[in-house]
Amino acid sequence: MNKSELIDAVAERAELSKAAVNKAIDALTEVITTVISKGNPVALIGFGTFKSVMRSARTGKNPKTGAPLKIAAKAVPKFSAGAGLKAAVAGKKPAAKKAPAKKAPAAKKPAAKPAAKKPAAKKK
């Protein structure tokens, strides 16, 4: 699927104009690019995370001559798929959201001894 096919599909599903969807997709890619270029990740829960990672310097070889050459370290973009996307690609239903676990009732403390009663003050 290319960008124009994506725009058509999103416009149909969201019942929006193609121009509006095009602006939204352009804005989304621009924001993601800007944020990860600054070193911050962009996490879309259930879909995935975009982030920048450092690739270390290494030695490669020229495929034509076989001569070794140095490849400099650099930052590269990385996408990690989320659980929902992985499940959809695998043909499985996404895992249901777990309800917050109920806290077990606190263990009962031994009953405290009742406080000794003070004698009532005498009225004059």
Side-chain angles (χ1 to χ4, degrees), residues 75-95:
V76 294
K78 181 178 179 182
F79 175 76
S80 300
L85 180 59
K86 287 179 183 178
V89 171
K92 298 178 183 177
K93 291 183 179 179

Side-chain angles (χ1 to χ4, degrees), residues 19-31:
V21 173
N22 187 24
K23 281 184 181 181
I25 290 174
D26 287 344
L28 176 69
T29 56
E30 184 180 323
V31 168

Side-chain angles (χ1 to χ4, degrees), residues 1-123:
M1 176 179 277
N2 61 28
K3 184 177 178 182
S4 64
E5 292 170 340
L6 177 64
I7 290 170
D8 292 341
V10 172
E12 184 178 325
R13 183 166 289 191
E15 298 177 1
L16 296 171
S17 70
K18 290 180 185 179
V21 173
N22 187 24
K23 281 184 181 181
I25 290 174
D26 287 344
L28 176 69
T29 56
E30 184 180 323
V31 168
I32 290 173
T33 302
T34 303
V35 171
I36 65 171
S37 68
K38 292 179 181 177
N40 298 321
V42 175
L44 304 172
I45 305 300
F47 182 71
T49 302
F50 298 90
K51 59 185 170 183
S52 176
V53 295
M54 283 301 294
R55 184 177 289 168
S56 61
R58 60 195 191 280
T59 303
K61 69 176 187 174
N62 183 331
K64 189 172 185 179
T65 64
L69 60 117
K70 292 181 182 178
I71 302 172
K74 64 180 178 178
V76 294
K78 181 178 179 182
F79 175 76
S80 300
L85 180 59
K86 287 179 183 178
V89 171
K92 298 178 183 177
K93 291 183 179 179
K97 292 183 180 179
K98 293 182 181 179
K102 292 183 180 179
K103 293 184 179 180
K108 292 185 178 181
K109 295 181 182 178
K113 293 181 182 178
K117 293 186 179 181
K118 294 182 181 180
K122 293 182 182 179
K123 293 184 179 180

